[in-house]
Amino acid sequence: MANITAAQVKELRDMTDSPMMECKKALVEAEGDMDKAVDILRKNGLAAAAKKAGRATNEGAIGSFVSEDGKLAALVEVACETDFVGTNPKFTGFAAKLAEHIANTHPADVEALLASDMDGETVEAALTELIHVIGENMKINRFAFRTADHGACSSYVHMGGKIGVLVEFSFDKPETAQADAFKTFAHDVAMQVAAVAPICARREDVPAETIEHEMSIYKAQAAESGKPEAIQEKIATGRLEKFYKEVVLTEQAFIKDGDLTIAKYAEKVSKELGDTIQVVAFDRLARGDA
């Protein structure tokens, strides 16, 4: 038996877009000869996707899943060639099923996801089969998942799958997850993330390098004023505060009521439900931004 390396298997898979195990079998049968292995896959009908592998995948959809109790949630971006296929029920159904699989298995990366078992076959094999059935190149670009141990998650998909959002919330009372007021609030916050695209949920989550970069700009701008250094520092700090209100979700004005910030909206619903609801974090996938 030929000594087949992982690099050879990967090369054949990249060439043909065929399942990993089938590539290994073909290489063993071909005794390591790459061209013969391709022919073996073609004869077995497994390399039909090879002709499609080079096509651009600029369309697609974001699939989402949230468990009934809100504890598990996931998003996945699956790309295809045309917007027509991007709305095909088979394609969107695959994306939704894949999101549920991700929420339950927590793969480390796309490679691990492709190799994972989903209903008795690998995700990679299922994707290849879908390529055969629909006739377009497809790729899994990226995914995100969340586990809310002390709260719940909410999901929102905008514009037919062009933008997908997950938001994780924390609270103390288990019954809060099923309260209508919380569900409305959670949906509103997820829509806010989709519409306004904040960079993080809370001020303390803004990366230090981002703050340093912004402050360097604001200080340079303030220096142009010619005012005393103490005043320049206040000007720069004031502009940083404005920056926070623009990019931090909890400090943004609520798009449905400009008199409320998201943090104030959370306080309002918390008071109504007798609980303490907080926005923990979010994920936002916009199609094509990977």
Side-chain angles (χ1 to χ4, degrees):
M1 182 180 294
N3 183 23
I4 306 303
T5 66
Q8 287 175 296
V9 175
K10 184 179 186 303
E11 181 181 352
L12 182 59
R13 189 185 68 179
D14 290 343
M15 289 171 61
T16 65
D17 211 23
S18 299
M20 186 181 299
M21 292 307 298
E22 296 299 331
C23 288
K24 185 174 182 180
K25 290 178 184 177
L27 281 164
V28 170
E29 185 177 341
E31 297 183 343
D33 187 303
M34 195 65 64
D35 292 335
K36 288 182 181 179
V38 171
D39 287 342
I40 290 168
L41 289 172
R42 290 183 64 191
K43 288 174 184 176
N44 292 336
L46 294 168
K51 295 179 181 178
K52 305 177 182 72
R55 296 181 189 171
T57 51
N58 299 321
E59 299 294 336
I62 308 294
S64 71
F65 170 80
V66 178
S67 62
E68 191 171 339
D69 61 4
K71 298 295 185 182
L72 301 174
L75 296 173
V76 61
E77 180 186 0
V78 185
C80 60
E81 296 176 44
T82 64
D83 58 354
F84 178 77
V85 167
T87 58
N88 182 301
K90 288 184 178 178
F91 181 82
T92 57
F94 174 78
K97 181 179 179 181
L98 192 58
E100 181 174 1
H101 175 69
I102 291 166
N104 285 297
T105 59
H106 298 176
D109 51 31
V110 172
E111 287 294 317
L113 172 61
L114 288 168
S116 65
D117 180 85
M118 185 173 71
D119 294 342
E121 64 178 347
T122 65
V123 168
E124 184 174 31
L127 179 64
T128 301
E129 177 61 24
L130 190 62
I131 291 171
H132 289 317
V133 170
I134 293 181
E136 280 197 9
N137 188 24
M138 299 172 193
K139 293 180 180 178
I140 299 170
N141 283 343
R142 54 186 171 153
F143 61 85
F145 59 81
R146 293 202 165 269
T147 302
D149 294 325
H150 304 288
C153 295
S154 180
S155 174
Y156 175 71
V157 176
H158 185 58
M159 297 175 66
K162 291 185 178 180
I163 299 173
V165 171
L166 287 183
V167 186
E168 180 184 346
F169 303 90
S170 68
F171 43 78
D172 298 322
K173 298 163 60 176
E175 57 268 30
T176 292
Q178 302 304 320
D180 289 340
F182 170 73
K183 290 180 179 180
T184 298
F185 165 73
H187 183 260
D188 283 342
V189 174
M191 281 201 306
Q192 175 98 9
V193 174
V196 188
I199 65 172
C200 59
R202 301 171 296 190
R203 181 179 296 206
E204 56 266 34
D205 298 327
V206 179
E209 57 269 25
T210 299
I211 297 172
E212 290 172 8
H213 175 72
E214 293 298 319
M215 274 300 285
S216 68
I217 293 173
Y218 302 147
K219 286 180 178 179
Q221 292 172 342
E224 294 294 324
S225 68
K227 294 181 179 179
E229 287 189 9
I231 301 298
Q232 291 180 27
E233 186 68 26
K234 288 183 179 179
I235 292 173
T237 300
R239 288 176 179 171
L240 184 63
E241 286 295 317
K242 183 179 179 182
F243 170 76
Y244 286 136
K245 289 177 172 58
E246 292 173 348
V247 304
V248 175
L249 174 60
T250 51
E251 300 188 30
Q252 288 178 338
F254 178 35
I255 54 176
K256 289 186 177 181
D257 184 350
D259 293 332
L260 284 177
T261 63
I262 295 298
K264 291 296 183 183
Y265 187 12
E267 290 176 9
K268 178 181 177 182
V269 178
S270 295
K271 185 176 181 180
E272 179 180 343
L273 297 178
D275 204 344
T276 302
I277 302 169
Q278 294 183 324
V279 181
V280 177
F282 67 83
D283 298 286
R284 184 182 187 273
L285 302 186
R287 197 186 69 200
D289 283 354

